[in-house]
Amino acid sequence: EDPGIPAGRIAVEVPETVVEENRGAFLRLAEMVRPKFSLGVDGFGILMSSTSMLETLPIDYVKLHRSITTAASLAGRDRVVELVSAANTVGITTIALGVESLEQVNVLQAVGCRLAQGFLYAGAVAAEDLRELIAVGFGEVAEVR
């Protein structure tokens, strides 16, 4: 209810498997939280119905499951291309989880995934250390270049 928080600044994420098993509840959640909050699907891409989900659900972004990002080499490139292309086509942002190598960054960049998170950028930090990390800077994070 705080009017000082801009719309979309806070995100609500639901795991893909939960969305699939409880689609009606997810749609009701979407009605309640949007447009004040961003709505995302975490662990995206592990279900065969993932791409059809993009066309039917009111979501702002998806976070590619770590197993999808880890496979973002020559062997898993087709699945990454499929998921990122489908999301880009309908205007949904894709965030790659578990990025640990420059090879993954290069593949993700080549297929149109511009956002990533993982140990390549920074490890997990305690809440009390977050302010210092923000003040010092994360280095080359935020966007896959």
Side-chain angles (χ1 to χ4, degrees), residues 6 41 56 80:
V41 175
T56 60
V80 173

Side-chain angles (χ1 to χ4, degrees), residues 53-97:
M53 195 180 282
L54 294 171
E55 298 171 2
T56 60
L57 293 177
I59 54 178
D60 301 297
Y61 66 92
V62 292
K63 287 187 169 181
L64 291 179
H65 191 273
R66 186 183 193 298
S67 65
I68 302 294
T69 304
T70 301
S73 61
L74 295 178
R77 186 179 174 111
D78 290 345
R79 182 70 171 149
V80 173
V81 168
E82 173 191 8
L83 296 170
V84 173
S85 295
N88 287 344
T89 298
V90 294
I92 294 173
T93 301
T94 305
I95 303 166
L97 299 180

